[in-house]
Amino acid sequence: MTLADRTAIAELIVSVENFNKSETDCALELVDIYLQDEKQSDYNVAIAEDSNSKIQAYACWGPVPLTKGAFDLYWIASRPLSRGLGFGRALMHWVEQSVMSSRGRLLIIETSSKESYKNTVGFYSSIGYEEIARIKDFYDIGDDKLILAKRLS
Ligand SMILES: CC(C)(COP(=O)(O)OP(=O)(O)OC[C@H]1O[C@@H](n2cnc3c(N)ncnc32)[C@H](O)[C@@H]1OP(=O)(O)O)[C@@H](O)C(=O)NCCC(=O)NCCS
């Protein structure tokens, strides 16, 4: 991702139907940290484009501080009209390769159990992420935190 992609990524993030205002603000904040500080290594951002170079998906991930080889996936989203076309899977494959090339061995995803995230959890499951922990009522009463993981080596 480069600075030239920021407007398209901001539009994509705002268009995601299951992100609320706090989530879009947080997602954009991480994009801006990535773009504005070239020395930082906490956040990586990558985009997936179609054959017309139009941005269709993006992902943000980084190493978990104080661990050897654990990485967090912070955000991934594809355009609502481009779901199911393989952009999410391709991007996750790219993220996993990048994590492994940084000697990462474990990719962790934290997500929500609420209804609007059901499709997302189905997506993660279809690409090999397993639920390893659940914190009941974490985000809200009836909205658990799901911790999903994939061992990369
Ligand atoms: C999650 C998300 C990124 C997936 O992106 P996508 O581009 O639609 O994913 P793909 O088209 O690559 O699908 C990959 C696989 O997941 C599967 N999949 C997608 N949605 C699924 C669902 N609801 N249940 C089961 N499998 C599902 C697809 O069938 C596909 O499998 P296949 O390749 O074997 O056919 C997209 O749905 C999204 O942006 N959701 C909203 C934002 C969000 O919740 N982000 C995560 C929180 S940070």
Side-chain angles (χ1 to χ4, degrees):
M1 183 191 180
T2 67
L3 198 51
D5 303 320
R6 196 213 181 257
T7 304
I9 292 298
E11 281 169 10
L12 193 165
I13 289 171
V14 169
S15 76
V16 175
E17 67 294 345
N18 58 340
F19 289 175
N20 61 32
K21 173 84 170 71
S22 313
E23 290 169 327
T24 56
D25 287 351
C26 174
L28 263 175
E29 192 181 326
L30 300 194
V31 165
D32 285 335
I33 292 171
Y34 172 79
L35 289 174
Q36 287 163 12
D37 182 358
E38 57 188 36
K39 291 201 194 101
Q40 68 85 32
S41 55
D42 295 329
Y43 304 106
N44 302 289
V45 180
I47 55 169
E49 294 178 330
D50 63 20
S51 52
N52 295 317
S53 304
K54 179 167 178 174
I55 294 175
Q56 298 293 351
Y58 99 105
C60 176
W61 74 99
V64 182
L66 309 181
T67 70
K68 286 184 184 164
F71 280 67
D72 272 330
L73 179 80
Y74 295 113
W75 300 99
I76 182 168
S78 50
R79 280 188 191 282
L81 291 177
S82 305
R83 303 269 167 82
L85 299 179
F87 291 108
R89 178 188 281 276
L91 203 45
M92 282 306 297
H93 180 69
W94 201 90
V95 169
E96 289 167 8
Q97 296 298 314
S98 167
V99 167
M100 284 190 284
S101 70
S102 304
R103 294 204 213 146
R105 57 187 170 78
L106 182 64
L107 191 49
I108 298 287
I109 298 171
E110 293 181 5
T111 191
S112 153
S113 70
K114 68 184 170 192
E115 191 60 32
S116 56
Y117 276 87
K118 279 255 152 53
N119 286 348
T120 300
V121 173
F123 163 76
Y124 289 135
S125 165
S126 81
I127 57 168
Y129 287 79
E130 285 184 88
E131 181 180 323
I132 53 159
R134 175 184 286 248
I135 305 175
K136 206 167 157 39
D137 299 332
F138 180 83
Y139 295 109
D140 198 352
I141 305 294
D143 184 1
D144 305 346
K145 179 195 273 202
L146 308 184
I147 303 176
L148 313 177
K150 186 169 181 178
R151 292 195 183 274
L152 304 174
S153 66

